[in-house]
């Protein structure tokens, strides 16, 4: 959501309250071990409007080669 609000750059969508919520509430949860937030692999599949199954596999395989992953996603477009 915060990525979308930042992208829209529309004055009626104010990202400041969202950022305050993330800072004040979500960071506490993260520090307690809660997994939350976007991961680059999900960002890339969303950016290319592809199903997240490839991002899930990327995560499961503990990959960190985001550039190669992005190239693979682009090759599979169509």
């Amino acid at each position: 959501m915060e990525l979308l609000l930042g992208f829209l750059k529309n004055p009626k969508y104010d990202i400041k309250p969202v950022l305050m919520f993330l800072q004040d509430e979500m960071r506490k949860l993260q520090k307690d071990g809660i997994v939350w937030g976007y991961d680059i692999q999900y960002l890339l599949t969303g950016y290319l409007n592809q199903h997240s199954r490839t991002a899930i596999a990327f995560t499961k395989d503990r990959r960190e080669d985001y550039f190669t992953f992005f190239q693979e996603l682009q090759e599979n477009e169509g």
Side-chain angles (χ1 to χ4, degrees):
M1 178 175 65
E2 63 275 11
L3 292 174
L4 178 60
L5 288 174
F7 173 76
L8 292 175
K9 294 184 172 105
N10 185 325
K12 73 179 185 175
Y13 301 114
D14 187 5
I15 194 170
K16 288 180 256 161
V18 175
L19 293 175
M20 288 300 295
F21 173 76
L22 296 174
Q23 174 184 297
D24 296 342
E25 304 300 328
M26 297 308 295
R27 290 295 297 149
K28 290 179 201 172
L29 294 175
Q30 283 181 317
K31 289 178 182 177
D32 289 339
I34 302 295
V35 177
W36 175 86
Y38 74 91
D39 291 313
I40 295 170
Q41 59 272 29
Y42 291 99
L43 173 77
L44 294 174
T45 54
Y47 173 75
L48 295 172
N49 197 29
Q50 295 187 17
H51 195 278
S52 61
R53 72 177 61 85
T54 51
I56 293 167
F58 181 94
T59 303
K60 184 178 178 185
D61 294 342
R62 298 181 185 267
R63 289 178 60 182
E64 295 181 358
D65 55 327
Y66 299 110
F67 183 78
T68 301
F69 180 61
F70 183 65
Q71 288 178 309
E72 291 169 4
L73 292 173
Q74 288 182 309
E75 290 171 4
N76 294 326
E77 276 189 311

